[in-house]
Amino acid sequence: MEFLELAKARYSERSFEKSHPIEEEKLSKILEAGRVAPTACNLQPQKIYVLKSEDSLWKAAKLTHTYEAPVVLLICYDENVVWKNAREEGYNSGEQDASIVASSMMFEAEELGIHSLWIRGFNSKLVSETFELPENIKPVLMLALGYPKATSEPSPRHLDKKPLSDTVEER
Ligand SMILES: Cc1cc2nc3c(=O)[nH]c(=O)nc-3n(C[C@H](O)[C@H](O)[C@H](O)COP(=O)(O)O)c2cc1C
Protein backbone atom coordinates (compact mmCIF):
# COMPACT_ATOMS: atom_id res chain seq x y z
CA MET A 1 0.00 0.00 0.00
CA GLU A 2 1.24 3.51 -0.75
CA PHE A 3 2.35 5.22 2.47
CA LEU A 4 -0.23 8.02 2.47
CA GLU A 5 -2.98 5.46 1.91
CA LEU A 6 -1.65 3.45 4.87
CA ALA A 7 -1.44 6.57 7.05
CA LYS A 8 -5.05 7.41 6.24
CA ALA A 9 -6.28 3.86 6.78
CA ARG A 10 -4.79 3.64 10.30
CA TYR A 11 -6.96 4.49 13.26
CA SER A 12 -6.70 3.97 16.99
CA GLU A 13 -7.95 0.48 17.75
CA ARG A 14 -10.01 0.08 20.90
CA SER A 15 -11.64 -3.21 20.02
CA PHE A 16 -8.98 -5.92 19.88
CA GLU A 17 -9.72 -9.57 19.23
CA LYS A 18 -8.23 -10.96 22.44
CA SER A 19 -8.18 -14.56 21.17
CA HIS A 20 -6.25 -13.74 17.98
CA PRO A 21 -2.55 -13.65 18.85
CA ILE A 22 0.05 -11.87 16.74
CA GLU A 23 2.24 -14.28 14.77
CA GLU A 24 5.86 -14.29 16.02
CA GLU A 25 7.28 -13.43 12.60
CA LYS A 26 4.98 -10.40 12.36
CA LEU A 27 5.96 -9.25 15.84
CA SER A 28 9.62 -9.60 14.84
CA LYS A 29 9.03 -7.40 11.78
CA ILE A 30 7.31 -4.78 13.92
CA LEU A 31 10.23 -4.74 16.36
CA GLU A 32 12.68 -4.59 13.44
CA ALA A 33 10.95 -1.45 12.11
CA GLY A 34 11.62 0.14 15.50
CA ARG A 35 15.22 -1.03 15.52
CA VAL A 36 16.08 0.84 12.32
CA ALA A 37 14.23 4.06 13.23
CA PRO A 38 16.26 7.25 13.45
CA THR A 39 17.28 8.55 16.89
CA ALA A 40 19.30 11.60 17.93
CA CYS A 41 22.99 10.96 17.10
CA ASN A 42 21.91 7.35 16.43
CA LEU A 43 22.32 6.69 20.15
CA GLN A 44 19.32 4.31 20.14
CA PRO A 45 18.28 4.88 23.75
CA GLN A 46 15.04 2.96 23.31
CA LYS A 47 14.19 0.07 25.58
CA ILE A 48 11.12 -1.94 24.67
CA TYR A 49 9.39 -4.44 26.93
CA VAL A 50 7.14 -6.91 25.13
CA LEU A 51 4.16 -7.61 27.36
CA LYS A 52 2.30 -10.70 26.20
CA SER A 53 2.13 -13.11 29.14
CA GLU A 54 -1.20 -13.22 30.97
CA ASP A 55 0.47 -11.76 34.06
CA SER A 56 2.13 -8.83 32.25
CA LEU A 57 -1.03 -8.00 30.28
CA TRP A 58 -3.05 -8.06 33.49
CA LYS A 59 -0.55 -5.68 35.12
CA ALA A 60 -0.69 -3.33 32.11
CA ALA A 61 -4.49 -3.36 32.17
CA LYS A 62 -4.42 -2.34 35.86
CA LEU A 63 -2.30 0.70 34.92
CA THR A 64 -4.35 1.91 31.95
CA HIS A 65 -7.02 0.82 29.48
CA THR A 66 -5.41 -1.64 27.03
CA TYR A 67 -8.64 -2.86 25.42
CA GLU A 68 -7.67 -6.53 25.73
CA ALA A 69 -4.82 -6.23 23.22
CA PRO A 70 -2.88 -9.53 23.06
CA VAL A 71 0.46 -7.68 22.91
CA VAL A 72 1.45 -4.40 24.52
CA LEU A 73 4.84 -2.83 23.87
CA LEU A 74 6.05 -0.73 26.78
CA ILE A 75 8.34 1.76 25.08
CA CYS A 76 10.91 3.53 27.22
CA TYR A 77 14.24 5.29 26.87
CA ASP A 78 17.48 4.91 28.78
CA GLU A 79 18.45 8.15 30.49
CA ASN A 80 22.10 7.01 30.56
CA VAL A 81 22.21 6.62 26.76
CA VAL A 82 19.97 9.42 25.51
CA TRP A 83 21.27 12.50 23.62
CA LYS A 84 21.59 15.62 25.76
CA ASN A 85 21.37 19.01 24.08
CA ALA A 86 24.46 21.14 24.82
CA ARG A 87 22.57 24.24 23.62
CA GLU A 88 19.70 23.78 26.05
CA GLU A 89 20.35 22.67 29.58
CA GLY A 90 18.11 19.90 30.86
CA TYR A 91 16.80 18.86 27.43
CA ASN A 92 17.15 15.32 26.19
CA SER A 93 15.69 13.62 23.13
CA GLY A 94 14.28 10.58 24.93
CA GLU A 95 10.58 11.25 24.30
CA GLN A 96 11.25 12.07 20.64
CA ASP A 97 13.44 8.99 20.14
CA ALA A 98 10.88 6.70 21.77
CA SER A 99 8.11 8.33 19.73
CA ILE A 100 9.74 7.86 16.35
CA VAL A 101 10.59 4.25 17.23
CA ALA A 102 6.95 3.75 18.23
CA SER A 103 5.65 5.44 15.07
CA SER A 104 7.79 3.20 12.86
CA MET A 105 6.44 0.14 14.65
CA MET A 106 2.87 1.42 14.49
CA PHE A 107 2.99 1.82 10.70
CA GLU A 108 4.79 -1.50 10.17
CA ALA A 109 2.01 -3.13 12.20
CA GLU A 110 -0.61 -1.41 10.04
CA GLU A 111 1.15 -2.66 6.90
CA LEU A 112 0.91 -6.20 8.30
CA GLY A 113 -2.83 -5.87 9.04
CA ILE A 114 -2.28 -5.45 12.78
CA HIS A 115 -4.03 -2.58 14.50
CA SER A 116 -2.59 -0.47 17.29
CA LEU A 117 -3.33 2.04 20.02
CA TRP A 118 -0.84 4.61 21.30
CA ILE A 119 -1.38 4.91 25.07
CA ARG A 120 -0.04 7.57 27.43
CA GLY A 121 -2.88 7.60 29.92
CA PHE A 122 -0.82 6.03 32.70
CA ASN A 123 1.23 7.15 35.66
CA SER A 124 4.95 6.69 34.88
CA LYS A 125 5.91 6.08 38.51
CA LEU A 126 3.35 3.29 38.86
CA VAL A 127 4.49 1.74 35.54
CA SER A 128 8.12 1.77 36.73
CA GLU A 129 7.16 0.19 40.06
CA THR A 130 4.89 -2.44 38.51
CA PHE A 131 7.42 -3.63 35.95
CA GLU A 132 10.41 -3.05 38.25
CA LEU A 133 12.17 -0.81 35.75
CA PRO A 134 15.69 0.33 36.62
CA GLU A 135 15.93 4.01 37.71
CA ASN A 136 17.50 5.07 34.36
CA ILE A 137 14.70 3.56 32.23
CA LYS A 138 11.93 6.09 31.61
CA PRO A 139 8.55 4.90 30.28
CA VAL A 140 7.14 7.01 27.42
CA LEU A 141 4.18 5.11 25.99
CA MET A 142 2.51 1.78 25.55
CA LEU A 143 1.69 0.58 22.04
CA ALA A 144 -1.17 -1.91 22.19
CA LEU A 145 -1.17 -4.29 19.22
CA GLY A 146 -3.57 -6.87 17.87
CA TYR A 147 -6.12 -7.84 15.29
CA PRO A 148 -9.39 -5.92 15.30
CA LYS A 149 -12.76 -7.43 16.15
CA ALA A 150 -14.99 -7.82 13.08
CA THR A 151 -17.18 -5.01 14.47
CA SER A 152 -14.25 -2.59 14.94
CA GLU A 153 -14.51 0.88 13.49
CA PRO A 154 -12.73 4.21 13.99
CA SER A 155 -14.05 6.53 16.66
CA PRO A 156 -15.88 9.64 15.37
CA ARG A 157 -12.90 11.66 16.67
CA HIS A 158 -10.62 9.89 14.17
CA LEU A 159 -12.38 11.62 11.27
CA ASP A 160 -12.12 15.02 12.87
CA LYS A 161 -8.73 16.04 11.42
CA LYS A 162 -8.07 19.77 11.06
CA PRO A 163 -7.37 21.18 7.59
CA LEU A 164 -3.72 21.96 6.83
CA SER A 165 -4.54 25.67 6.88
CA ASP A 166 -5.17 25.39 10.65
CA THR A 167 -1.83 23.75 11.45
CA VAL A 168 0.67 24.80 8.78
CA GLU A 169 1.87 28.27 7.89
CA GLU A 170 4.77 29.87 6.10
CA ARG A 171 7.11 32.19 7.93
C1 LIG B 1 0.64 11.08 22.69
C2 LIG B 1 -0.61 10.28 22.54
C3 LIG B 1 -1.22 9.77 23.67
C4 LIG B 1 -2.39 8.99 23.55
N1 LIG B 1 -2.91 8.39 24.66
C5 LIG B 1 -4.02 7.63 24.54
C6 LIG B 1 -4.54 6.94 25.67
O1 LIG B 1 -3.99 6.95 26.77
N2 LIG B 1 -5.68 6.20 25.51
C7 LIG B 1 -6.32 6.14 24.29
O2 LIG B 1 -7.36 5.46 24.19
N3 LIG B 1 -5.84 6.77 23.18
C8 LIG B 1 -4.70 7.50 23.29
N4 LIG B 1 -4.17 8.11 22.18
C9 LIG B 1 -4.85 7.98 20.87
C10 LIG B 1 -5.51 9.31 20.45
O3 LIG B 1 -6.62 9.57 21.26
C11 LIG B 1 -5.91 9.21 18.97
O4 LIG B 1 -4.75 9.03 18.19
C12 LIG B 1 -6.65 10.45 18.49
O5 LIG B 1 -7.88 10.61 19.14
C13 LIG B 1 -6.89 10.42 17.00
O6 LIG B 1 -7.61 9.26 16.64
P1 LIG B 1 -7.03 8.24 15.56
O7 LIG B 1 -5.72 7.70 16.10
O8 LIG B 1 -8.08 7.17 15.46
O9 LIG B 1 -6.82 8.99 14.29
C14 LIG B 1 -2.99 8.82 22.27
C15 LIG B 1 -2.34 9.33 21.13
C16 LIG B 1 -1.16 10.02 21.25
C17 LIG B 1 -0.45 10.51 20.00
Side-chain angles (χ1 to χ4, degrees):
M1 202 189 285
E2 194 206 319
F3 184 75
L4 191 53
E5 244 178 273
L6 186 80
K8 288 185 177 178
R10 182 218 60 86
Y11 63 86
S12 290
E13 186 56 73
R14 296 186 183 88
S15 181
F16 290 104
E17 188 58 71
K18 189 184 177 184
S19 61
H20 192 165
I22 297 179
E23 299 82 346
E24 277 306 315
E25 62 277 20
K26 289 194 177 179
L27 184 56
S28 297
K29 282 187 172 181
I30 292 168
L31 294 169
E32 180 68 3
R35 188 181 76 83
V36 299
T39 54
C41 277
N42 204 24
L43 289 173
Q44 302 162 67
Q46 67 267 28
K47 177 80 186 172
I48 299 163
Y49 299 91
V50 179
L51 313 179
K52 58 180 183 175
S53 70
E54 209 177 306
D55 181 53
S56 293
L57 290 171
W58 180 80
K59 284 177 177 163
K62 296 276 277 184
L63 293 159
T64 188
H65 210 331
T66 57
Y67 300 90
E68 301 199 309
V71 174
V72 176
L73 302 179
L74 170 57
I75 302 167
C76 311
Y77 71 90
D78 186 335
E79 208 172 41
N80 294 341
V81 176
V82 77
W83 177 74
K84 296 178 180 78
N85 186 350
R87 293 186 181 87
E88 188 178 324
E89 208 189 316
Y91 180 85
N92 77 51
S93 62
E95 295 248 344
Q96 290 197 45
D97 292 330
S99 295
I100 198 160
V101 166
S103 300
S104 299
M105 294 195 292
M106 182 178 79
F107 286 113
E108 175 62 16
E110 186 70 27
E111 171 75 13
L112 296 169
I114 291 165
H115 285 198
S116 64
L117 179 64
W118 189 297
I119 303 172
R120 185 56 184 86
F122 56 74
N123 179 297
S124 309
K125 192 166 176 285
L126 292 179
V127 168
S128 297
E129 283 170 11
T130 302
F131 291 106
E132 300 178 0
L133 305 184
E135 186 61 31
N136 52 308
I137 301 295
K138 304 297 177 192
V140 177
L141 72 133
M142 293 186 197
L143 190 66
L145 296 169
Y147 288 95
K149 283 200 170 123
T151 52
S152 159
E153 53 178 40
S155 76
R157 202 162 47 185
H158 165 75
L159 300 168
D160 189 21
K161 303 288 183 195
K162 295 176 181 176
L164 281 179
S165 55
D166 278 16
T167 57
V168 181
E169 67 174 63
E170 254 184 63
R171 275 280 155 97

